[in-house]
Amino acid sequence: MKLCLNSESNSLQEEKMEVSSKQNITTQKASSKKGGLRTMPFIIANQTFEKVASFGHLANMILYLILDYNMDSATGAIVLFQWSAISNLTTIIGAFLSDSFLGRFRVIAYRSISSLLGMSVLWLTAILPQARPPPCKHNKGGENKCVSPSSAQLALIFSAFVLMSVGAGGIRPCSLAFGADQFNQLVQVDDLKVKKRSVKILQTFFNWYYVSVGISVMLAVTVMVYIQNAKGWVVDFGIPVVLMLFSSTMFFLGSPLYIKMKAKSSLLTGFAQVIVATWRNRHLSLPVPPLESDGWHHHKASKLTVPTDNLRFLNKACIIRNPLKDLDSDGLAMDPWSLCTITQVEELKALIKVLPIWSTGIPVAVTLNQHTFGMLQAKTMDRRFFMSKFKIPPASFSVFGILSMTATVVFYVQVLVPLLSKFTKRKRGLSLKERMGIGIAISCLATAVSAIVERKRWNEAIREGLSNYPADAVVLNLSAMWLVPQHCLAGIAEAFNFIGQIEFYYSNFLRPCLAVQCLFWHLEWV
């Protein structure tokens, strides 16, 4: 009887194992149908065409505001400055919404529609004459009689800017992270061979992603700008609408293939919880000597079991006063606004520690983002490419900065790092602070060169008697190639400073994604 029972139980166990193995196979097949390289064309297409459309608008928009909305150059520059600042500010809001409430897929989807609506409204301002003030009338003395745009006309074009800013605030911070989500399950597999292959695939995705971003910006400041000058604003603003429509369509077509991660706790929420918990526990005294790992709140899998001594007052946020009241059965905090983990505290400490270095990049960002003034300079100069018949569009001169930045990065990695590492005995060649400092120095040099060229341009306008004429009606007998050195120096400064900053953030933060967030905060101030 026992043998029969044992054989029956064994057969039942084998059947259960077969059923469970079949279930695992079916779940693996179901999961394998989603994510992976098959989603890459849809995500990259969404990001690429959004970039071409957005940067294509920004490159020449100052001319549209001056020529069609009768704004002076200073007012137009301020409007574009605020548009750029709002666009980068909304990236933080978009990242917060995707992490805490909506998830990345929904944020990208909603913001893609917002961008499409904004570009469509901007297109309408070019199509409808009633949406713009009448053209300025030029007098013989060089003075202009211009009618300022009405409140309704300004509201229409500003609504387009706001809709595009809201759209950019969802696509830019979430697109790369959403793409990485499609490979996370493959990277977390236990099989070492599969894991290595998946990591290589993920790196391939990142490489293609950044290549697509570079190509899209290049197309925006060359092809899009050339179309603007040749075909006019109606065609120019219509093309981004078509591109954005194609971008949104491609993204939605890939929806059945995506791995859609649910929203989790936000990094910004964690920072707020640490600050609130520190304030609530301000009456607590820090233990002397420090508590053992059991006295601090941390997850079981966390490597951080004791907080550091830097900024010690924040350690009050993770002191466990009463384990029975403060923690639940799973070891999690009953009230995360009164008790935080050591990881949360250390992440806030890392952010506070890098703020001084981060702040040094603000003047560099302001210096390198004066693209509207450089474009207005080129508008008044002889833009023939080394005396040939081909004229470079004013907004396309920024391509020299992009090319110099790319060349500098390649030269630094392939040539300078091997040479400098022999003398400095460092793998990077230079320390990150040294690299950022060189970028700051070169940005100062770029500003000085820009001032010298502007002085030369102004003296030429005075010599030719054209200093009182409007900028759109003046072409000086001075080659625009004088502007190339300042653009090249700006690109070199960006290669040293901004890329050095990214590496600095990666080496100081517990979560590498925070480096990207800090870069967006940088752009917010710009």
Side-chain angles (χ1 to χ4, degrees):
M1 290 290 294
K2 289 182 179 180
L3 291 173
C4 292
L5 290 173
N6 287 336
S7 61
E8 289 178 358
S9 62
N10 289 335
S11 61
L12 288 173
Q13 288 179 358
E14 289 177 357
E15 290 178 0
K16 290 180 179 179
M17 290 176 66
E18 289 179 359
V19 171
S20 62
S21 62
K22 289 180 180 179
Q23 290 177 349
N24 290 333
I25 292 171
T26 53
T27 54
Q28 288 176 1
K29 287 182 179 179
S31 62
S32 64
K33 292 181 181 179
K34 293 189 176 183
L37 285 173
R38 62 174 68 90
T39 62
M40 189 167 65
F42 302 99
I43 298 172
I44 290 181
N46 175 259
Q47 176 72 8
T48 300
F49 288 107
E50 189 274 336
K51 276 278 191 296
V52 174
S54 300
F55 281 89
H57 281 315
L58 186 61
N60 241 359
M61 186 58 67
I62 185 66
L63 291 182
Y64 185 61
L65 297 179
I66 293 174
L67 300 178
D68 288 70
Y69 276 81
N70 300 339
M71 296 184 184
D72 57 75
S73 57
T75 303
I78 291 172
V79 170
L80 295 183
F81 172 86
Q82 293 175 343
W83 179 27
S84 179
I86 293 173
S87 297
N88 290 296
L89 176 62
T90 54
T91 58
I92 301 176
I93 301 174
F96 175 76
L97 291 175
S98 66
D99 290 343
S100 303
F101 301 103
L102 300 176
R104 297 187 180 100
F105 174 79
R106 289 184 179 180
V107 169
I108 296 175
Y110 295 154
R111 299 303 177 91
S112 296
I113 297 173
S114 179
S115 291
L116 180 59
L117 290 175
M119 293 177 187
S120 300
V121 173
L122 185 62
W123 190 24
L124 286 177
T125 63
I127 295 174
L128 301 176
Q130 299 83 358
R132 307 183 306 277
C136 294
K137 296 181 179 179
H138 303 296
N139 294 334
K140 293 182 180 180
E143 296 180 355
N144 287 338
K145 285 188 177 181
C146 300
V147 178
S148 300
S150 64
S151 300
Q153 290 169 342
L154 289 176
L156 185 63
I157 191 170
F158 287 166
S159 64
F161 290 158
V162 170
L163 286 171
M164 287 189 288
S165 295
V166 171
I171 297 174
R172 294 178 187 177
C174 299
S175 183
L176 182 60
F178 182 71
D181 289 342
Q182 312 307 313
F183 303 93
N184 280 342
Q185 290 186 0
L186 299 174
V187 175
Q188 295 173 359
V189 174
D190 294 333
D191 191 346
L192 186 59
K193 291 183 179 180
V194 176
K195 190 171 185 177
K196 287 183 178 180
R197 186 169 62 252
S198 302
V199 170
K200 289 182 179 180
I201 294 173
L202 185 59
Q203 291 175 348
T204 302
F205 167 74
F206 285 141
N207 291 334
W208 277 107
Y209 184 90
Y210 285 111
V211 166
S212 68
V213 171
I215 292 174
S216 61
V217 175
M218 291 280 288
L219 290 174
V221 299
T222 54
V223 177
M224 291 294 295
V225 170
Y226 180 80
I227 293 174
Q228 289 170 358
N229 293 347
K231 301 297 182 180
W233 299 112
V234 176
V235 176
D236 166 61
F237 291 161
I239 292 175
V241 172
V242 175
L243 292 177
M244 196 63 217
L245 179 61
F246 182 75
S247 170
S248 303
T249 304
M250 286 292 291
F251 182 75
F252 286 112
L253 284 176
S255 179
L257 303 176
Y258 297 145
I259 296 174
K260 301 170 185 176
M261 305 291 290
K262 294 183 179 179
K264 298 180 181 179
S265 61
S266 172
L267 191 66
L268 298 178
T269 304
F271 289 160
Q273 289 174 344
V274 173
I275 295 172
V276 172
T278 302
W279 174 256
R280 288 183 175 180
N281 300 336
R282 64 188 182 279
H283 61 279
L284 297 178
S285 299
L286 291 172
V288 181
L291 291 173
E292 297 296 330
S293 60
D294 294 338
W296 305 103
H297 179 41
H298 60 86
H299 295 307
K300 295 179 180 179
S302 176
K303 296 180 180 179
L304 296 174
T305 57
V306 177
T308 62
D309 290 333
N310 299 323
L311 303 172
R312 294 178 67 246
F313 66 94
L314 293 175
N315 294 347
K316 294 182 179 182
C318 56
I319 296 178
I320 301 176
R321 292 168 293 181
N322 189 338
L324 297 178
K325 294 182 179 181
D326 295 341
L327 303 177
D328 60 13
S329 58
D330 295 327
L332 302 177
M334 296 288 290
D335 183 8
W337 294 92
S338 297
L339 179 62
C340 301
T341 63
I342 297 175
T343 302
Q344 288 178 288
V345 173
E346 294 302 320
E347 284 174 344
L348 181 58
K349 288 181 181 180
L351 178 63
I352 295 173
K353 286 190 293 184
V354 302
L355 282 178
I357 298 294
W358 171 84
S359 63
T360 61
I362 296 176
V364 181
V366 173
T367 300
L368 299 181
N369 282 272
Q370 300 297 327
H371 53 271
T372 55
F373 182 70
M375 196 271 296
L376 291 175
Q377 283 180 308
K379 177 70 176 175
T380 64
M381 301 170 73
D382 183 4
R383 293 176 280 107
R384 288 180 295 175
F385 187 69
F386 293 110
M387 305 307 293
S388 65
K389 293 183 179 180
F390 175 74
K391 288 186 177 181
I392 302 175
S396 295
F397 276 84
S398 59
V399 75
F400 292 104
I402 299 173
L403 293 175
S404 64
M405 181 191 68
T406 305
T408 301
V409 171
V410 175
F411 180 77
Y412 180 82
V413 174
Q414 299 295 330
V415 179
L416 282 182
V417 170
L419 289 176
L420 293 174
S421 60
K422 295 179 180 179
F423 298 97
T424 61
K425 306 301 181 182
R426 302 179 189 140
K427 292 182 179 180
R428 289 192 178 100
L430 297 173
S431 67
L432 297 177
K433 293 180 181 178
E434 289 172 347
R435 185 173 182 178
M436 288 186 285
I438 291 173
I440 294 173
I442 296 176
S443 70
C444 294
L445 180 61
T447 305
V449 171
S450 177
I452 294 171
V453 173
E454 174 58 17
R455 182 64 180 174
K456 183 176 180 62
R457 187 185 73 94
W458 185 248
N459 289 338
E460 182 64 24
I462 294 174
R463 189 182 68 82
E464 297 181 19
L466 300 174
S467 58
N468 294 326
Y469 281 76
D472 59 303
V474 172
V475 177
L476 303 175
N477 188 23
L478 182 67
S479 176
M481 292 297 109
W482 282 93
L483 302 174
V484 174
Q486 67 192 51
H487 285 289
C488 291
L489 287 171
I492 296 171
E494 188 172 357
F496 275 94
N497 187 267
F498 281 2
I499 297 177
Q501 282 188 66
I502 294 174
E503 291 188 27
F504 178 76
Y505 298 144
Y506 265 75
S507 62
N508 281 273
F509 285 124
L510 298 176
R511 282 198 263 184
C513 62
L514 190 57
V516 180
Q517 195 65 55
C518 277
L519 195 60
F520 280 122
W521 286 343
H522 237 320
L523 296 173
E524 172 197 347
W525 293 98
V526 179

